[in-house]
Amino acid sequence: MPWDRNQMAARAAQELEDGMYVNLGIGIPTLVANYVGDKDITLQSENGMLGMGPFPFEGEEDPDLINAGKQTITELARTSYFDSATSFGMIRGGKIAAAILGAMEVAENGDLANWMIPGKLVKGMGGAMDLVAGVGRVVVVMDHTNKHGDSKVLKECTLPLTGRGVVDRIITNLGVLDVVEGGLKIVELAEGVTDDEMRAATQATLVN
Amino acid sequence: MKKVYDSASEALDGVLSDGMLIAAGGFGLCGIPELLIDAIVDSGVKDLTIASNNCGVDGFGLGKLLDTKQIRKMMSSYVGENAEFMRQYLSGELELEFNPQGTLAERMRAGGCGIPGFYTKTGVGTVIAEGKEVKTFNGEDYILEEGIFADLSIVKAWKADDTGNLVFRKTARNFNPPAAMCGKICVAEVEEIVPRGSLDPDNIHLPGIYVHRVIQGEHEKRIEQRTVRKREEA
């Protein structure tokens, strides 16, 4: 059985180490926060906050306190606030240990596309280009194939890039892949997924 | 030194002109200068270029200036919440210059600091790098981005004193300080103007040197994505 969204998030949470400052993207990456357990992780919200807390209780929403997805959130005892230039200064400056992001396509050389589909609605890259260029480690969490069954793990991206050669690890519903010299390396298979199934769903070059 | 004005329209008197570049603070609908935007709508000034991370939503925030077709060009990182924006952009009525969010913030900060350009890794190898100078430092490629020097800055803060010292609240700070810094004239709207001496000098987020005019007013502070969690059953 391939992993579901929550299992993918739980697997991604294993990438995080005690003491890390981390940025989580929108979608499945947001769920990663539910699986960090006892690890002391500080979440960054790139609009200008370290120490992001959970959603507020109903009636306690504060319009001045939102995350990068514009959702109402809460602060923690450790929270600090700062302006967006300072926020992206710490991202660009390599102070954020890791970013866990969603993707439309990833290529075997670590190229990432997750911001634009030409001819469709153009929304913008937000902070994604800054994050992938600046943070210590980029982990992508996404479904292995699109809704048509085509691989999203490619030899080359077809969509406009968010960053070139920026991805370190890919976690999908089928397992875990690392970007290495010459292609991708299978690190782990989801329970019940065979090596053949992983290979069949992957367009990118797989190396041993 | 008179910085306190009675209304948004009074504070903008004499500083608006067609074709000008305005830097606006705010992220989504959080910490946006609602009152100054309304006054700019009322002024009828047109052909504006606006540097702002987003462009409000349909009918609120900078979205109001889209409805009245007063904006010629946006410099933004994300415009996904606004159908009228899409319509004007796809029909060619509106120009759009995408900036990665951190690049936009730094371009504003740089402009305010007298830095006309800086090199960044953000966007290397993407469409953002097209037409920009590439320079190699320690074996890595960086692209040249230019500082933004705005004609006018409009920002929202929580509190001000009459000298223009500003204090922001939580994540409503966002783009407001860098946007304020990069304008020739900066007008700030706040929830409360307090007497000189009542803000702690150690806790001023933006010194009054960057702020030329201040108004106080009521803010709607609309929430874009209301997300909550359930209380545990007792």
Side-chain angles (χ1 to χ4, degrees):
Chain A
M1 277 278 284
W3 286 325
D4 63 21
R5 288 164 59 88
N6 285 303
Q7 288 169 315
M8 288 159 69
R11 178 59 190 83
Q14 291 175 26
E15 302 295 315
L16 305 181
E17 291 164 27
D18 206 55
M20 273 187 172
Y21 290 88
V22 177
N23 186 294
L24 301 180
I26 294 166
I28 300 174
T30 306
L31 301 175
V32 174
N34 299 335
Y35 298 96
V36 296
D38 294 337
K39 284 184 279 199
D40 188 27
I41 304 293
T42 305
L43 297 179
Q44 195 224 25
S45 185
E46 65 266 26
N47 45 326
M49 178 184 198
L50 279 169
M52 182 165 50
F55 294 150
F57 292 120
E58 196 162 356
E60 294 178 3
E61 309 91 316
D62 184 341
D64 288 337
L65 183 45
I66 64 168
N67 64 18
K70 284 117 185 173
Q71 297 170 313
T72 46
I73 47 164
T74 55
E75 65 185 24
L76 303 170
R78 73 178 58 189
T79 296
S80 58
Y81 298 111
F82 32 83
D83 67 71
S84 299
T86 304
S87 185
F88 283 93
M90 66 184 72
I91 289 168
R92 202 185 297 106
K95 312 299 179 188
I96 303 293
I100 301 179
L101 304 168
M104 297 169 181
E105 295 176 346
V106 182
E108 61 191 44
N109 64 352
D111 285 359
L112 169 69
N114 73 351
W115 76 280
M116 183 190 184
I117 303 176
K120 300 217 174 156
L121 288 187
V122 181
K123 294 188 171 190
M125 71 289 290
M129 285 190 180
D130 308 276
L131 280 161
V132 299
V135 303
R137 183 170 163 80
V138 174
V139 177
V140 163
V141 182
M142 64 174 192
D143 283 325
H144 210 95
T145 53
N146 66 20
K147 62 185 177 209
H148 307 295
D150 303 323
S151 185
K152 294 168 67 174
V153 185
L154 306 173
K155 292 188 188 305
E156 270 181 54
C157 289
T158 64
L159 296 169
L161 295 183
T162 307
R164 182 162 284 178
V166 293
V167 176
D168 296 291
R169 174 164 281 194
I170 310 164
I171 298 173
T172 76
N173 51 326
L174 300 186
V176 181
L177 299 159
D178 271 353
V179 178
V180 297
E181 194 68 38
L184 302 179
K185 185 175 180 222
I186 301 173
V187 175
E188 192 178 325
L189 294 167
E191 205 180 318
V193 172
T194 66
D195 194 72
D196 284 348
E197 284 167 335
M198 170 67 96
R199 286 173 187 279
T202 305
Q203 192 215 71
T205 309
L206 289 170
V207 298
N208 292 315
Chain B
M1 178 178 68
K2 169 182 154 38
K3 291 194 178 181
V4 177
Y5 287 71
D6 287 334
S7 69
S9 56
E10 208 178 289
L12 290 171
D13 188 43
V15 302
L16 296 175
S17 59
D18 291 349
M20 76 190 308
L21 170 58
I22 300 177
F27 174 80
L29 300 181
C30 181
I32 59 170
E34 302 175 15
L35 308 172
L36 291 162
I37 291 167
D38 285 348
I40 292 172
V41 170
D42 292 341
S43 78
V45 67
K46 58 183 194 297
D47 292 329
L48 299 173
T49 295
I50 298 188
S52 169
N53 190 60
N54 314 90
C55 195
V57 296
D58 287 296
F60 191 67
L62 290 172
K64 290 184 178 180
L65 284 166
L66 285 176
D67 294 340
T68 54
K69 301 196 166 60
Q70 287 168 272
I71 303 176
R72 184 181 66 80
K73 178 182 175 181
M74 284 300 300
M75 301 162 75
S76 303
S77 87
Y78 194 83
V79 293
E81 291 93 356
N82 199 317
E84 176 61 14
F85 189 104
M86 256 340 125
R87 193 198 64 72
Q88 290 190 19
Y89 173 62
L90 294 173
S91 72
E93 293 166 53
L94 180 70
E95 214 179 307
L96 170 60
E97 178 192 298
F98 268 132
N99 284 253
Q101 193 172 336
T103 295
L104 183 63
E106 188 63 16
R107 288 184 66 192
M108 290 180 180
R109 197 195 71 84
C113 296
I115 298 170
F118 59 92
Y119 291 95
T120 177
K121 238 189 308 185
T122 303
V124 169
T126 75
V127 293
I128 290 301
E130 284 172 12
K132 290 174 184 163
E133 183 197 323
V134 178
K135 193 170 165 114
T136 307
F137 296 89
N138 300 318
E140 287 206 68
D141 288 346
Y142 293 75
I143 56 173
L144 178 65
E145 294 281 3
E146 296 186 2
I148 291 174
F149 299 86
D151 299 305
L152 171 68
S153 300
I154 53 171
V155 300
K156 154 76 172 54
W158 182 36
K159 291 180 180 179
D161 65 18
D162 69 306
T163 73
N165 288 321
L166 299 185
V167 175
F168 300 90
R169 188 169 174 275
K170 304 185 187 285
T171 56
R173 192 179 321 185
N174 57 57
F175 273 82
N176 283 295
M181 291 165 70
C182 75
K184 287 193 198 96
I185 300 269
C186 172
V187 184
E189 61 180 64
V190 302
E191 293 172 46
E192 188 184 4
I193 297 176
V194 299
R196 197 177 295 200
S198 51
L199 296 176
D200 178 356
D202 267 332
N203 288 304
I204 303 291
H205 297 144
L206 188 74
I209 191 167
Y210 295 108
V211 180
H212 304 92
R213 300 180 180 192
V214 183
I215 57 158
Q216 175 181 309
E218 294 288 323
H219 292 83
E220 178 180 335
K221 298 214 278 187
R222 196 183 287 187
I223 292 176
E224 206 165 329
Q225 304 280 346
R226 189 178 298 273
T227 44
V228 296
R229 72 189 138 127
K230 290 247 187 307
R231 283 178 202 276
E232 300 289 323
E233 296 292 330

